Amino acid sequence: MNLNIQYKTWGKSRSNRLADYDYSADRPIHVTICTHNKQRIFTSKTDAETVVNELPKSANDLGFRVLCYCLMPDHLHVILASADSGYPLSKFLNIFKGRTTAILRQREGSNKVWQRSGFDHVIRADEDLRAVIEYILDNPVRKGMVEKANDYPYSRCLEVEIRKYL
């Protein structure tokens, strides 16, 4: 299987994937997935819980590891790793976004939930993984939604998963 494919998802002249990076490698990747037209879709407890409950299910089904996540009303930050799955990031994005869209469409008639693809940042060996996690978990604090990151119900850090990558 040739995994050195340039994924072009945002137009013919722009790629949001590294052309020569093996996205099936077991390295942490920070992914930001925005809602369609940056709509504030995840404002209800039910919709937010749908997403945060589906995240580990999709990851588990594909053999990915979720290290941390933070769901905001109009986007999701997640750090994940492909572990030994052998699947590229695009496979995870397709499955996760497809499942959550199907659930929300059935329940609320939502047509488009997510923007195409997602933005990723491969966390390099010289970067501080804990600093990236802290940045993600502090997102609701920076937006004035809570005073402390621990007070936000739609974010989580899975310590047992991140140990492998420190």
Side-chain angles (χ1 to χ4, degrees), residues 41-60:
I41 294 174
F42 308 117
T43 55
S44 78
K45 180 179 180 180
T46 304
D47 292 348
E49 286 178 349
T50 294
V51 174
V52 298
N53 291 333
E54 189 55 50
L55 186 61
K57 288 179 190 174
S58 294
N60 188 51

Side-chain angles (χ1 to χ4, degrees), residues 91-138:
K91 179 74 169 176
F92 173 82
L93 291 174
N94 288 339
I95 296 296
F96 170 72
K97 288 173 24 176
R99 288 178 177 180
T100 52
T101 298
I103 293 167
L104 294 172
R105 182 178 294 144
Q106 181 180 29
R107 185 170 56 230
E108 298 180 22
S110 302
N111 192 18
K112 291 187 176 184
V113 175
W114 302 105
Q115 285 184 349
R116 292 181 65 200
S117 194
F119 296 98
D120 64 74
H121 173 77
V122 178
I123 299 174
R124 276 80 171 173
D126 64 340
E127 291 181 277
D128 183 359
L129 176 59
R130 287 211 183 267
V132 177
I133 290 171
E134 191 173 307
Y135 169 81
I136 290 170
L137 296 178
D138 277 344

